[in-house]
Amino acid sequence: MSTTTNSHSGRDRVAERLQRSSAKQSYDPDVDIDWDAPLVDGAYGKPPHRCSLYGTPLWEGLSEQQRAELSMQELSASTASGIWFELMLMQGLTRYAYSADPTSHRAHYALTEIADECRHSTMFGKAIDKIDGNVRRPSRFGHRAGKVFGAVAGPTLLFAGAIYVEELADAMQREIMRAKSLQPLGRMVSRIHVLEEARHISFAKDELERAWCSHGPLAREAIRWSIAGMMVVATAEFLHPKAYTSVGLDPREAKRVAEANPHWRRTKADWARKAVELFEGMGIIGGPSRRLLRRAGLVD
């Protein structure tokens, strides 16, 4: 057996397994979702207790129909942030594949993941259009930050970002797909994304471990700050104030109330928990940069 084959079998085992899994089970949202089916009137987009204003006087002042509408608009906002991040991830994966051995399973799986993310972004865009979502793009700051991240993020930041955002979305979508009372469109979109993103998370974890181990102490500290900043911005982009205008609320006031709402802070911490625990175990979260995450309510 050649040295190249030996090298591939050693480094590419995870990517090879994920590539086989992708070949066996992948979805085409254009075919697997009935886009012509009407939305269920009055159905929530996500569980009420996971809405940003739940438990506040503003929430109590809304009618049941308005609460359901706000939940749909918040779902649209998080879906729009999903497109924003997946486009950044695709840029990073394209650069990753460009530098990789084109015969390796890692390069092949990176290309497969790019194809998956293309379908997901299209699916998300069609879902936002079906919902008639108010939020279709990230904030101005998020849009600018995303341009920089997608263009320059190295493997450590790229795969840490992928893990964080995908775990954040995964936790939310697992709750949505399991709740039979919620909007069927949101449940089906969540189901497809959860099943395919599980492979992406596995690949990112394997690559992150390799990349993190390659850095010395000074580089690690700089990366900790970058990852903490990325986590704060990505979490904030999960909810755009424009969602509140759908039910006649002032977006600035509603945003202020949401940021102080203990239910919403607990929701964000719950959804971020798996990624936070992984990063803490690897030493990626730690030191002075931890203060950023504590202020955002993502760590204790």
Side-chain angles (χ1 to χ4, degrees), residues 13-296:
R13 195 171 296 113
V14 170
E16 183 180 12
R17 173 176 59 80
L18 295 172
Q19 184 76 6
R20 288 198 303 266
S21 176
S22 296
K24 290 177 182 175
Q25 188 176 27
S26 290
Y27 291 87
D28 181 351
D30 284 335
V31 175
D32 295 318
I33 295 178
D34 183 1
W35 295 104
D36 294 325
L39 297 176
V40 176
D41 187 45
Y44 279 70
K46 60 182 181 178
H49 72 285
R50 294 308 198 183
C51 291
S52 64
L53 298 179
Y54 178 82
T56 68
L58 286 181
W59 179 263
E60 296 303 322
L62 298 176
S63 68
E64 188 64 21
Q65 187 70 30
Q66 286 177 312
R67 292 174 184 175
E69 173 63 19
L70 179 57
S71 78
M72 290 293 287
Q73 292 297 332
E74 289 194 9
L75 177 62
S76 173
S78 59
T79 302
S81 75
I83 298 174
W84 166 73
F85 193 81
E86 288 189 341
L87 289 170
M88 286 187 274
L89 177 58
M90 283 188 270
Q91 289 181 68
L93 286 172
T94 300
R95 288 189 289 105
Y96 173 90
Y98 185 87
S99 300
D101 177 352
T103 69
S104 69
H105 292 294
R106 290 182 302 119
H108 298 168
Y109 187 72
L111 295 171
T112 297
E113 184 170 338
I114 292 168
D116 288 346
E117 301 296 17
C118 284
R119 292 194 302 273
H120 294 169
S121 295
T122 302
M123 174 177 70
F124 288 166
K126 293 180 76 168
I128 293 169
D129 185 49
K130 185 74 176 182
I131 291 170
D132 195 20
N134 286 351
V135 181
R136 303 183 179 210
R137 297 177 66 83
S139 68
R140 186 176 300 175
F141 175 79
H143 187 259
R144 290 173 178 169
K147 281 186 176 181
V148 176
F149 184 95
V152 306
T156 306
L157 189 53
L158 172 68
F159 289 112
I163 289 168
Y164 183 72
V165 175
E166 300 298 3
E167 290 284 23
L168 196 68
D170 184 79
M172 178 188 74
Q173 290 174 331
R174 284 181 186 275
E175 293 183 6
I176 291 173
M177 64 185 267
R178 291 168 179 160
K180 295 182 180 179
S181 63
L182 298 181
Q183 193 67 245
L185 174 63
R187 293 181 64 220
M188 188 60 189
V189 167
S190 295
R191 182 173 181 270
I192 289 174
H193 196 244
V194 163
L195 290 174
E196 295 194 337
E197 289 299 332
R199 295 192 290 262
H200 300 176
I201 292 171
S202 293
F203 182 64
K205 285 180 179 177
D206 187 61
E207 291 297 317
L208 178 60
E209 287 177 5
R210 297 176 190 277
W212 181 247
C213 288
S214 70
H215 298 294
L218 290 177
R220 286 189 176 194
E221 188 57 30
I223 290 169
R224 285 189 186 102
W225 280 100
S226 298
I227 289 175
M230 173 276 299
M231 292 169 66
V232 171
V233 172
T235 307
E237 290 296 330
F238 236 52
L239 179 64
H240 195 293
K242 193 174 180 181
Y244 299 121
T245 62
S246 63
V247 292
L249 295 176
D250 177 80
R252 291 185 179 179
E253 180 193 5
K255 180 184 178 183
R256 177 184 57 78
V257 171
E259 288 176 347
N261 183 8
H263 292 287
W264 180 234
R265 288 177 70 86
R266 189 177 308 116
T267 288
K268 291 185 288 185
D270 286 346
W271 289 346
R273 183 167 292 113
K274 285 181 73 173
V276 167
E277 289 176 352
L278 174 70
F279 292 167
E280 286 182 327
M282 295 178 66
I284 290 175
I285 290 177
S289 60
R290 188 183 179 90
R291 290 196 296 268
L292 288 178
L293 302 176
R294 189 178 294 116
R295 283 200 297 269

